[in-house]
Amino acid sequence: MISYAQNAEDVLLARLFHGRTTGRYVDVGASDPVEDSVTKHFYDLGWRGINVEPIPAQAEALRKARPGDVTLAVALGAKSGSAVLHHVVNRSGWSTLDSVLASTYQAESTLEIVQVEVELRTLADVLDEHPGDIDFLKIDVEGEERGVIEGADWDRHRPRVVVVEATEPGSTKPAHHEWDPLMTEAGYRCALFDGLNRFYAQADDTEALELLAVPANVFDKYVRAEVAEQRAARMAEIAYIRRLEEAVQEAEREHQHELAEFDALREAAQRAEREATRARQRIAALEARLIELESAPRRLPRGGRG
């Protein structure tokens, strides 16, 4: 498979849902429809789901690329209302509702930050509005994971798997202590921490806990999207070179054919010239003979008179 996700999250999920061409996901903090997307692989298979993305431009890109999905240009939190999104324009995946985190961004002169007021809803409200079973829920909201988890109703909405970004934004420092107890109380167990995310499955789901317990590896037979693109570009380049070689070979064959035709025409012309020369020689000989005959004295028949 081709992995589009940042840390091969889609590979682990595909291991659990292997062979499934339909399913349903909820992607909170969906961001781009392709780059670092945990759900693109599944959408391409035929799955459909809900994308939650408060940045208007990215929400619109998701709607265009995923017409079969529901895309909501809102943010999620513990309560409904409104909030200020600190949109980091020139750094994908860094936008946040966390004002403390945003203040640390301000210290970096290279970051362009725009404040945008966004609608704030709860995960419970969204899932009530769009009911149905959920195979996996992904939460990546740059420091506001606890608010999203608090705004869920884990009794009525129980995804089989929940993937939550578990480090401080742009850091390896763990941040799950703020919300891990909430997941435990909701009846979930952590199957794996992959260095960036924590993968949770329902506590009694032995299959999911076992299959998600091992990080993505060579036995999953996957390639990164950028590697697949490089291979595709290389294959396209090879195919283009082969087409050029074939065109050159065809042109050479046509050239050789034209040369053969030219040689045949030249030989025919030479034969015609030789025949014309012989014909002229015969004509000249006949003309000479006629002149000779005409100039010879006439003889009278015997016994005749002058």
Side-chain angles (χ1 to χ4, degrees), residues 61-84:
L62 282 160
R63 291 189 182 104
K64 289 181 178 178
R66 309 269 190 91
D69 279 354
V70 173
T71 297
L72 305 175
V74 301
L76 299 188
K79 298 180 180 179
S80 297
S82 63
V84 175

Side-chain angles (χ1 to χ4, degrees), residues 21-203:
T21 57
T22 59
R24 190 165 182 257
Y25 51 76
V26 177
D27 192 347
V28 182
S31 191
D32 190 86
V34 178
E35 184 178 356
D36 293 340
S37 174
V38 173
T39 55
K40 175 173 169 54
H41 166 77
F42 296 95
Y43 186 87
D44 290 347
L45 282 177
W47 288 45
R48 296 297 181 260
I50 302 171
N51 304 308
V52 180
E53 176 49 57
I55 299 174
Q58 291 186 322
E60 184 60 26
L62 282 160
R63 291 189 182 104
K64 289 181 178 178
R66 309 269 190 91
D69 279 354
V70 173
T71 297
L72 305 175
V74 301
L76 299 188
K79 298 180 180 179
S80 297
S82 63
V84 175
L85 174 69
H86 306 275
H87 175 27
V88 183
V89 177
N90 57 341
R91 192 67 65 86
S92 177
W94 280 39
S95 300
T96 180
L97 298 178
D98 188 335
S99 57
V100 175
L101 177 60
S103 66
T104 64
Y105 291 167
Q106 297 287 354
E108 296 193 38
S109 58
T110 59
L111 297 180
E112 180 184 353
I113 303 174
V114 177
Q115 294 185 343
V116 182
E117 185 171 350
V118 296
E119 179 185 359
L120 192 64
R121 300 184 62 182
T122 66
L123 180 57
D125 288 342
V126 168
L127 298 184
D128 285 342
E129 184 178 321
H130 304 280
D133 293 338
I134 304 166
D135 291 294
F136 70 85
L137 163 68
K138 186 221 80 178
I139 304 173
D140 178 4
V141 289
E142 304 304 311
E144 287 297 308
E145 286 77 13
R146 180 184 176 91
V148 175
I149 293 170
E150 286 181 334
D153 187 329
W154 298 104
D155 293 325
R156 291 188 295 112
H157 309 295
R158 295 191 63 76
R160 186 178 183 189
V161 177
V162 182
V163 184
V164 191
E165 188 173 78
T167 64
E168 294 184 0
S171 168
T172 59
K173 184 178 179 180
H176 65 281
H177 59 277
E178 298 181 359
W179 42 260
D180 184 71
L182 299 178
M183 296 302 300
T184 302
E185 291 173 10
Y188 286 84
R189 282 179 51 196
C190 180
L192 174 72
F193 172 58
D194 67 358
L196 177 64
N197 310 277
R198 287 172 75 85
F199 287 74
Y200 292 88
Q202 296 180 25

Side-chain angles (χ1 to χ4, degrees), residues 213-233:
V214 180
N217 58 73
V218 65
F219 296 107
D220 289 305
K221 298 180 181 179
Y222 75 97
V223 294
R224 298 281 305 170
E226 55 270 24
V227 174
E229 290 174 1
Q230 290 171 0
R231 289 180 180 176

Side-chain angles (χ1 to χ4, degrees), residues 204-257:
D204 58 353
D205 191 342
T206 304
E207 179 189 31
L209 290 169
E210 289 181 354
L211 290 178
L212 296 174
V214 180
N217 58 73
V218 65
F219 296 107
D220 289 305
K221 298 180 181 179
Y222 75 97
V223 294
R224 298 281 305 170
E226 55 270 24
V227 174
E229 290 174 1
Q230 290 171 0
R231 289 180 180 176
R234 179 57 180 162
M235 293 302 295
E237 181 181 345
I238 291 172
Y240 176 68
I241 291 172
R242 286 177 177 171
R243 288 196 299 271
L244 285 179
E245 291 175 344
E246 290 172 358
V248 170
Q249 291 171 357
E250 180 62 24
E252 181 63 24
R253 285 192 295 269
E254 291 180 359
H255 179 63
Q256 293 297 328
H257 180 68

